[in-house]
Amino acid sequence: MEPGRISEHGFLADGRSAALVDRAGAVNWWCPARFDGPSVFGRLLDDDAGHWSIRPEDAFTTERSYLDDSLVLRTVFTTRSGSVAVTDALALEPGARGHEIGLRSPRVLARVVEGLSGAVPMRVEYRPRFEYGRVRAYLTGGEGTVDAVAGPTRLSLRANVPLTCGHGTASGRFTARAGTAHHFTLGYAPTYDGGEPALPDADQVVAETVAGWRSWAGLHDYRGLYRDQVRLSAMVVQGMTYQPSGAVVAAATTSLPEELGGDRNYDYRFVWVRDFSLTLQALWLAACPDEANRQFAWVARAMGEIDDQPVPIMYGVQGERDLTEHHLDDLAGYADSRPVFIGNDAWKQRQTDVLGEVLDAAWLMRYYLDPMSPDVRDLLRALADRAVRDWRRPDAGMWEARDVERHYVSSKVQCWTALDRAVRFGARIGTPDDVAHWTAARDEVRAAVLTRGWNERLQAYTGAFDSDHLDASVLIMPLVGFLPADDPRMRSTMNAVERRLSRDGLLRRWDDDPAGFVICSFWLVGCLAEAGEVDRARRLFEQLAARANDLGLYAEQIDQATGEQLGNFPQAFSHIGLINAAGKITDAVERFGDRAARRPVPTGTAATEGARR
């Protein structure tokens, strides 16, 4: 059986890595060492790159959900002979609670099969393939365990059903009868560190993992509109956090395509500075200030002292800079979309918008940064000085163009953001001469954007200076305070972007973008809310909320015609966009009145009036 489509997968996380499980009960992705480590299950990218399935032998239907306030997944299979539930969890450390979850996870994947009614014949197929399918380990079985060791990787599977090993696969059959349970625990460990894979009891893993996630959720009481969606999205962002460092990866996967059969199939298992400010805003809105603090501390350590080289725009989860890209030519790619990439050469690009991202985040966190440490002060001052120097230079832009550098409007706007926040910080980060220098440069940037970014024929701000091409990235202008959303030119831009690039609530980035880009769609929601168009903002938000998969998860993009999710999954940027858009709507209801707040909320959404925290 082939793996399900992107949107058919559920997301498990343990603070170090992620696993994806499809509706048919197959784990098709897991990189147990860390998010950007080699996979042991990689069937998302090639049918022979490894998977682990537990499913009924006969035809079935499924219903699934997360256990409340957790990332523990329960899938119920219904067949003609009965029904059975499979509960999947990536283990948290026993006893870990609150902000301690994920720091010392044991790297264990547990699966519990419970018979609910009747008698359901089940089949297990366990096919580990190491290093993205390159290595087929020799499997050995005995005493209820199956060991797989090759090179630096070791897996041990414990099961209370008999499994037969052969040709790199362990398989077995059993019957799930009403009231019975069957347990599977898979542990990972490096081959040569002297330890063995942990194999705790599967029931204990599920119970402890649920308790750990619920304890974390209990610390974060968001009280704004669309509470259910915001809380889930905050948990997804937490699940995509590499807890030892506090860094949030952009996505759990590599090389899931923006367009089926296309070649824009990049590795997103890294940390983008661009996402930084938006992530902090989202965590702040979702009542997660401790996570926001860790995020800022991480980026300050990762950047180090700023020199004359381009400011790094992305990192590995522990702050690594060299993320050199290479192809895995032996993999077919998702839906035959090649190439498959490991690493991402965007790390070499100059993207001047990151200057504004960091200074905007610092401004958001300003009270937590008081007293400001010398290293943070030096970093912020250096980034402001870099904005003075670099705002006139072309760059690769926030969409990381790989052809030529251009004078992207969004990059200029974020240079303005960097300088504006530096001026607001004033003497906390610079001398009076510094502040005067930053103020003058800020005003120059603003004048240039207002003049060269505006296209009179289109009646809109365009993607680059002196361009006639629309680009949804300009929607950040009101969101960072460059222009108010009700400014006539900004309103005209929003209308032009929506008219030309939107379809059924999904907004493409530019004219020939193959699919709607989820965060851009949520940016439009935020802009409409800030402009006082609360009803329109809410209708669009609810259209987008209905585009998530059955578990509430988003990939990076959604096909405007078919509704199919595309790109890496789940995508932090998309969930961050949802949280921030919900916050904008909540603020708008408070500012412009509660008429929209009294409108009935469609099934699948939840609204709670009042302050967000």
Side-chain angles (χ1 to χ4, degrees):
M1 180 177 290
E2 294 183 354
R5 309 301 286 181
I6 293 170
S7 62
E8 292 180 1
H9 285 83
F11 168 66
L12 312 176
D14 64 0
R16 291 177 179 268
S17 65
L20 299 184
V21 188
D22 71 15
R23 294 181 65 91
V27 181
N28 294 317
W29 187 254
W30 190 29
C31 303
R34 57 187 238 178
F35 288 103
D36 55 352
S39 65
V40 297
F41 302 129
R43 192 166 64 161
L44 268 178
L45 302 178
D46 191 284
D47 191 51
D48 198 37
H51 70 277
W52 178 19
S53 67
I54 303 177
R55 63 181 179 85
E57 293 259 31
D58 299 328
F60 56 83
T61 60
T62 60
E63 293 184 6
R64 59 185 183 165
S65 62
Y66 286 118
L67 300 184
D68 287 346
D69 283 333
S70 81
L71 291 179
V72 174
L73 179 63
R74 178 180 169 89
T75 303
V76 176
F77 298 87
T78 300
T79 74
R80 62 184 180 181
S81 63
S83 60
V84 60
V86 178
T87 302
D88 296 318
L90 271 183
L92 301 176
E93 182 188 25
R97 298 292 184 267
H99 297 118
E100 295 296 312
I101 66 169
L103 292 176
R104 294 168 293 274
S105 297
R107 299 169 179 172
V108 167
L109 175 56
R111 314 190 73 182
V112 177
V113 181
E114 300 170 273
L116 301 180
S117 66
V120 181
M122 302 290 290
R123 177 175 178 81
V124 181
E125 186 172 77
Y126 169 66
R127 300 184 67 198
R129 297 290 185 269
F130 300 165
E131 293 195 44
Y132 307 105
R134 287 191 178 111
V135 179
R136 179 183 296 189
Y138 185 75
L139 304 186
T140 58
E143 299 297 326
T145 64
V146 175
D147 291 320
V149 182
T153 303
R154 179 177 179 180
L155 294 177
S156 291
L157 171 64
R158 186 172 73 183
N160 65 351
V161 302
L163 299 175
T164 302
C165 299
H167 305 293
T169 300
S171 59
R173 289 177 166 86
F174 64 97
T175 298
R177 303 181 188 279
T180 65
H182 303 270
H183 303 90
F184 302 82
T185 305
L186 178 63
Y188 159 84
T191 302
Y192 299 111
D193 72 349
E196 295 186 357
L199 290 173
D201 175 75
D203 280 333
Q204 180 186 5
V205 168
V206 169
E208 281 290 332
T209 302
V210 168
W213 280 113
R214 287 178 178 169
S215 71
W216 181 88
L219 298 176
H220 306 93
D221 189 19
Y222 169 83
R223 298 180 183 177
L225 297 172
Y226 306 110
R227 185 173 184 269
D228 288 352
Q229 290 94 331
V230 168
R231 284 174 66 83
L232 174 63
S233 287
M235 188 165 292
V236 171
V237 174
Q238 178 70 1
M240 296 175 68
T241 303
Y242 183 72
Q243 289 298 331
S245 68
V248 177
V249 298
T253 57
T254 179
S255 301
L256 298 186
E258 297 178 11
E259 182 178 18
L260 297 182
D263 60 0
R264 291 177 59 87
N265 315 322
Y266 300 124
D267 193 346
Y268 275 18
R269 298 171 300 161
F270 306 114
V271 188
W272 267 257
V273 176
R274 170 173 306 107
D275 302 2
F276 180 59
S277 176
L278 294 171
T279 302
L280 286 184
Q281 291 175 32
L283 293 172
W284 194 267
L285 288 168
C288 309
D290 294 280
E291 286 77 9
N293 268 322
R294 292 192 71 212
Q295 272 279 289
F296 195 88
W298 177 85
V299 83
R301 286 192 299 268
M303 282 196 160
E305 187 173 348
I306 301 299
D307 55 23
D308 290 335
Q309 300 299 312
V311 175
I313 62 99
M314 60 188 292
Y315 300 90
V317 295
Q318 293 184 353
E320 302 90 345
R321 295 196 183 187
D322 187 342
L323 307 176
T324 298
E325 181 177 285
H326 61 281
H327 299 176
L328 297 181
D329 295 328
D330 52 336
L331 296 184
Y334 176 87
D336 295 320
S337 302
R338 290 184 173 181
V340 172
F341 288 111
I342 299 300
N344 193 314
D345 277 349
W347 74 275
K348 303 174 184 177
Q349 292 183 346
R350 178 172 58 250
Q351 299 175 17
T352 54
D353 64 297
V354 302
L355 308 173
E357 299 286 358
V358 178
L359 272 148
D360 190 41
W363 182 250
L364 177 69
M365 298 294 296
R366 60 192 179 275
Y367 299 116
Y368 288 88
L369 298 177
D370 190 13
M372 188 179 293
S373 65
D375 58 334
V376 171
R377 182 176 62 248
D378 290 347
L379 171 65
L380 299 181
R381 183 171 61 240
L383 294 176
D385 289 340
R386 182 60 66 87
V388 172
R389 193 187 81 179
D390 283 358
W391 78 265
R392 293 183 177 84
R393 301 179 67 181
D395 72 342
M398 71 161 54
W399 308 133
E400 301 177 350
R402 295 198 175 197
D403 49 3
V404 297
E405 293 186 335
R406 298 176 178 85
H407 291 281
Y408 289 101
V409 169
S410 57
S411 296
K412 310 302 181 187
V413 168
Q414 288 291 39
C415 285
W416 175 90
T417 302
L419 294 163
D420 178 74
R421 304 320 188 246
V423 169
R424 295 190 197 188
F425 271 118
R428 291 185 65 186
I429 66 171
T431 67
D433 286 345
D434 289 329
V435 175
H437 197 40
W438 298 333
T439 301
R442 178 193 63 182
D443 296 343
E444 288 181 52
V445 178
R446 180 179 177 82
V449 170
L450 294 177
T451 303
R452 296 185 60 190
W454 175 257
N455 184 295
E456 190 67 26
R457 181 179 66 83
L458 295 177
Q459 289 292 291
Y461 292 103
T462 54
F465 278 0
D466 310 316
S467 170
D468 58 0
H469 296 288
L470 290 175
D471 192 305
S473 62
V474 300
L475 294 177
I476 69 168
M477 295 168 77
L479 302 181
V480 299
F482 183 89
L483 279 176
D486 57 1
D487 173 88
R489 284 190 169 188
M490 195 65 237
R491 287 297 291 112
S492 179
T493 299
M494 291 157 55
N495 289 337
V497 166
E498 186 172 17
R499 184 173 61 254
R500 288 273 297 272
L501 302 181
S502 180
R503 176 177 173 180
D504 295 332
L506 291 174
L507 191 65
R508 290 173 294 141
R509 290 170 290 180
W510 54 75
D511 274 333
D512 58 355
D513 198 13
F517 205 80
V518 175
I519 195 171
C520 292
S521 306
F522 281 122
W523 284 346
L524 181 58
V525 171
C527 289
L528 291 171
E530 287 210 345
E533 296 192 44
V534 182
D535 280 335
R536 283 188 65 202
R538 292 197 66 172
R539 284 196 298 271
L540 179 53
F541 182 98
E542 289 159 14
Q543 279 182 279
L544 293 169
R547 299 278 192 173
N549 77 356
D550 58 313
L551 295 172
L553 303 175
Y554 293 98
E556 180 182 41
Q557 296 186 256
I558 300 174
D559 188 286
Q560 289 180 313
T562 67
E564 181 170 4
Q565 297 213 27
L566 297 167
N568 286 301
F569 177 90
Q571 181 80 12
F573 223 20
S574 300
H575 288 275
I576 289 163
L578 180 149
I579 295 169
N580 288 335
K584 291 292 186 184
I585 293 173
T586 299
D587 287 343
V589 168
E590 293 172 355
R591 287 169 56 202
F592 299 110
D594 64 356
R595 179 173 61 89
R598 290 195 296 268
R599 185 167 54 83
V601 178
T603 301
T605 67
T608 303
E609 309 300 337
R612 287 191 303 277
R613 296 194 299 277

